[in-house]
Amino acid sequence: MTDAAAPAAPAVHRVPARDGAALPILTVLAALLLVWYAASVWLNAPQVQERLERASPDWSVSDLVAGAWAMDRPVLPAPHQIGVELYESVLGRPVTSKRSLAFHAGVTLSATLAGFALGLATGVALAVGIVHVRVLDRSLMPWIIASQTIPILAIAPMIVVVLGNLGFTGLLPKAIISAYLSFFPIAIGMVKGLRSPDPIQLDLMRTYSATPAQTFAKLRWPSSMAFLFPSLKVAIALALVGAIVAELPTGAQAGLGARLLAGSYYGQTIQIWAALFMSAFLAMLAIGAVGLAERGLTRIRGGRL
Amino acid sequence: MRWVFATLLAGAAALALLDVNGVAALVAGLAAVAACGAAMAALARDDRWPARIAVPLLFGVLLLWLWEMVTVGFGVPRILLPPPSMIAAAFGSHLPTLAADFHQTVIRSVIPGYAIGCGAGFLTALAIDRSPFLQRGLLPLGSLVSAMPIVGIAPIMVMWFGFDWQSKAAVIVVMTFFPMLVNTLAGLRAAGAMELDLMRSYAAGYGQTLMKLRLPAALPFVFNALKLNSTLALIGAIVAEFFGTPIVGMGFRISTEVARMNVDVVWATIAVAALVGSASYGIISVIERGATFWHPSFRQ
């Protein structure tokens, strides 16, 4: 999509989209790390200072810095502390262990994928209905938009409790919340995509006396693909958010949301940050997988999506 | 129009019969659904604006009515899913509590957080717009951060800023900053090459070009971010309240009343959240219509 969205206009204010992005990104990252280390010294300093005063009255600045970067429960952990925690909790423990972050990530990922599949099916079905049935277009569309203006995350605890009382626990409630968040971008993108063929092309299909099913399979569906994949990238990130939030209200035992909550109860800042970074990696991985699927499909269809 | 009246009549009859005779209620209910389908089909062919509003309205009424019929008719336990009438009653009897929650969550957390987050995102976009180097470095990171589940930072913010509204506002600032930044930057690049050249031929400086051409051209993108952020902000505040809060607020109300099985109060709070979300979206849409009336998506 980005390739199409970057016209090569010679105007003064325009920036060519991708020429040498590595250096700027590395610079910004380096600046970020620098600010982070400085901030962790600044935020942790009061506590470290107190401890140093108690141990011995003559402490130097380097003691303070070293102490601030090695606290057990820092206000802001230094990046390397998060890295060590991530390394130990992902690679240092067996995957089946309850203390392994990979195990928790797997629990959240399974709910995310189940919810994403559910959301994909719902979103595409709704879009097909909306494009082909006029009553559905008029009646459903405003409510689909309204459904997202209410914070579904507020209803998440309700859904978990209600389904739990009905005997559904574990994956299903989380998947439903994920699906609720992820169906929306898919439905909106697909409606736009299914309506994207030019009237000229639709007329051409008519001159071939194509049936509605043929028009759908040979024209509408292929031309919707270019809209589907950007929506899918948004949707899978939202599905992950849904899965994590669904783990919060019931005090789930496993999953990244459970790790966040446990970390917040016991003041384990490093654990919270590690879970947070893990979820960011998961989001990147999931979006990357959708991108790969897009490229694979493009290749199969001969370079055109 | 006749079908609408038939729908409302049959629907009301079905609700009234519910306590008297199940079979009669079912028959009246099926008649109401059929009449509603006919009414919606008839109205969907009409292109005038009352009909355009009536169809989704009728659909919404149908949903609420079905909810009431099913929960009362099949005797669904109140703890699982209360009927709309019970939610409305809870709404009425808990007005002071709901108002206090609204004040804590929306007025004290959401609005300051939203204003600071959107404002900071917008100003940062203006600042780094002049530096292509920063843009190329920040944009990929920005899209990365916006793909990250930002609600996860709620426990950290609660630790840093305490239980009161400051931590909720901080979560909202972080959540709304990047959508605004990315959208504004995209918008600032949306001015056409022809118009930019024209401004140059007028010998307009950077500031004039910005004020007279590029900012107006960026407005649709900015409003896009404002709309997106309005729901994000509410979600962020409610989720952040799960992680620790004073004993007031919509997220607090939902989590405690669920635990105490007062499901009707929970649904009343959800109704408040839905109303606030829809209203803020609607208000921003109206402002958008006024400010960007020239945009192709508003032309008939």
Side-chain angles (χ1 to χ4, degrees):
Chain A
M1 283 314 285
T2 42
D3 304 77
V12 265
H13 296 298
R14 281 176 197 246
V15 188
R18 278 189 197 162
D19 93 90
L23 183 67
I25 292 176
L26 286 179
T27 314
V28 170
L29 264 180
L32 200 71
L33 276 181
L34 219 73
V35 171
W36 192 321
Y37 270 112
S40 73
V41 170
W42 182 53
L43 285 167
N44 297 334
Q47 291 176 41
V48 179
Q49 223 166 349
E50 205 173 290
R51 213 178 50 206
L52 286 173
E53 289 284 359
R54 241 182 288 135
S56 68
D58 51 327
W59 47 270
S60 66
V61 176
S62 63
D63 288 340
L64 180 74
V65 171
W69 288 346
M71 280 178 74
D72 272 346
R73 293 180 178 191
V75 180
L76 175 63
H80 67 263
Q81 283 181 296
I82 300 168
V84 167
E85 166 78 14
L86 267 177
Y87 178 81
E88 278 179 358
S89 58
V90 173
L91 299 173
R93 293 178 194 135
V95 178
T96 48
S97 154
K98 279 245 166 186
R99 292 176 60 209
S100 160
L101 200 55
F103 165 77
H104 292 286
V107 170
T108 302
L109 190 65
S110 60
T112 305
L113 292 180
F116 180 65
L118 217 64
L120 180 63
T122 318
V124 170
L126 279 175
V128 171
I130 284 172
V131 168
H132 287 95
V133 184
R134 199 179 162 86
V135 179
L136 288 185
D137 176 26
R138 286 285 170 81
S139 59
L140 272 181
M141 206 54 182
W143 286 100
I144 286 179
I145 294 169
S147 80
Q148 302 294 312
T149 67
I150 70 169
I152 180 61
L153 301 187
I155 308 181
M158 288 293 315
I159 294 174
V160 173
V161 169
V162 165
L163 289 176
N165 283 357
L166 290 176
F168 298 106
T169 50
L171 195 67
L172 187 75
K174 293 199 273 177
I176 287 178
I177 292 160
S178 281
Y180 197 101
L181 283 180
S182 61
F183 95 93
F184 179 69
I186 297 173
I188 298 292
M190 275 304 270
V191 166
K192 200 157 186 140
L194 290 173
R195 286 196 174 135
S196 64
D198 233 296
I200 291 186
Q201 293 168 320
L202 286 170
D203 281 345
L204 183 65
M205 291 306 274
R206 253 228 299 279
T207 64
Y208 292 157
S209 74
T211 62
Q214 283 172 322
T215 311
F216 180 79
K218 298 204 154 74
L219 177 60
R220 282 193 192 274
W221 182 260
S223 48
S224 74
M225 287 298 118
F227 289 82
L228 177 63
F229 278 99
S231 302
L232 286 185
K233 286 177 189 165
V234 178
I236 201 157
L238 281 176
L240 182 66
V241 173
I244 289 177
V245 171
E247 286 162 359
L248 299 181
T250 49
Q253 295 300 308
L256 291 175
R259 288 286 276 193
L260 286 173
L261 207 58
S264 123
Y265 282 155
Y266 301 114
Q268 296 285 354
T269 353
I270 303 180
Q271 181 188 325
I272 297 180
W273 280 99
L276 200 59
F277 269 78
M278 196 67 200
S279 54
F281 290 141
L282 273 191
M284 275 164 61
L285 216 74
I287 293 173
V290 172
L292 273 184
E294 181 179 14
R295 278 175 57 186
L297 198 70
T298 313
R299 192 161 300 162
I300 289 170
R301 295 177 47 82
R304 281 195 63 201
L305 200 63
Chain B
M1 216 52 214
R2 271 173 314 163
W3 285 117
V4 177
F5 283 126
T7 305
L8 296 179
L9 211 66
L15 282 179
L17 283 170
L18 213 48
D19 289 333
V20 186
N21 186 330
V23 179
L26 193 66
V27 171
L30 287 177
V33 172
C36 191
M40 279 174 20
L43 281 168
R45 265 180 256 122
D46 195 340
D47 263 332
R48 282 167 301 180
W49 68 265
R52 279 173 175 273
I53 295 174
V55 177
L57 216 60
L58 215 53
F59 186 73
V61 171
L62 179 69
L63 282 184
L64 278 181
W65 173 84
L66 270 178
W67 181 351
E68 179 87 29
M69 284 295 281
V70 168
T71 46
V72 176
F74 291 101
V76 176
R78 299 281 151 97
I79 290 173
L80 285 188
L81 188 66
S85 56
M86 199 174 148
I87 297 168
F91 192 95
S93 59
H94 289 81
L95 264 185
T97 327
L98 293 175
D101 291 343
F102 171 83
H103 182 258
Q104 170 73 19
T105 303
V106 178
I107 309 279
R108 296 191 66 192
S109 328
V110 173
I111 292 180
Y114 180 75
I116 299 171
C118 290
F122 184 75
L123 292 178
T124 312
L126 283 188
I128 67 174
D129 169 57
R130 296 208 76 165
S131 158
F133 185 81
L134 261 185
Q135 259 195 53
R136 265 181 282 161
L138 263 177
L139 275 187
L141 286 179
S143 48
L144 192 94
V145 172
S146 48
M148 212 168 126
I150 308 281
V151 286
I153 63 161
I156 293 161
M157 290 301 164
V158 171
M159 272 182 207
W160 285 5
F161 294 100
F163 283 163
D164 209 355
W165 63 271
Q166 291 91 339
S167 58
K168 281 81 203 169
V171 172
I172 296 167
V173 168
V174 178
M175 281 178 86
T176 53
F177 179 79
F178 276 102
M180 191 47 139
L181 176 68
V182 172
N183 268 292
T184 310
L185 278 177
L188 286 174
R189 285 192 281 165
M194 288 262 272
E195 288 93 335
L196 284 171
D197 284 347
L198 183 66
M199 288 306 273
R200 236 156 83 112
S201 72
Y202 290 157
Y206 174 83
Q208 281 173 315
T209 314
L210 188 70
M211 290 309 292
K212 301 220 156 86
L213 170 62
R214 298 180 64 219
L215 274 186
L219 270 186
F221 292 82
V222 173
F223 273 108
N224 207 5
L226 283 177
K227 280 202 252 182
L228 191 73
N229 281 344
S230 71
T231 50
L232 271 184
L234 197 58
I235 289 169
I238 289 176
V239 170
E241 282 176 353
F242 288 160
F243 285 96
T245 142
I247 51 160
V248 66
M250 286 153 75
F252 169 80
R253 193 68 53 209
I254 289 170
S255 54
T256 51
E257 297 295 336
V258 161
R260 292 164 58 191
M261 296 286 174
N262 287 332
V263 183
D264 51 343
V265 183
V266 176
W267 278 99
T269 311
I270 291 168
V272 173
L275 282 177
V276 171
S278 305
S280 58
Y281 193 93
I283 290 169
I284 298 169
S285 299
V286 169
I287 300 174
E288 179 186 23
R289 229 196 146 86
T292 62
F293 58 90
W294 42 267
H295 195 258
S297 59
F298 289 124
R299 277 185 220 139
Q300 292 296 321

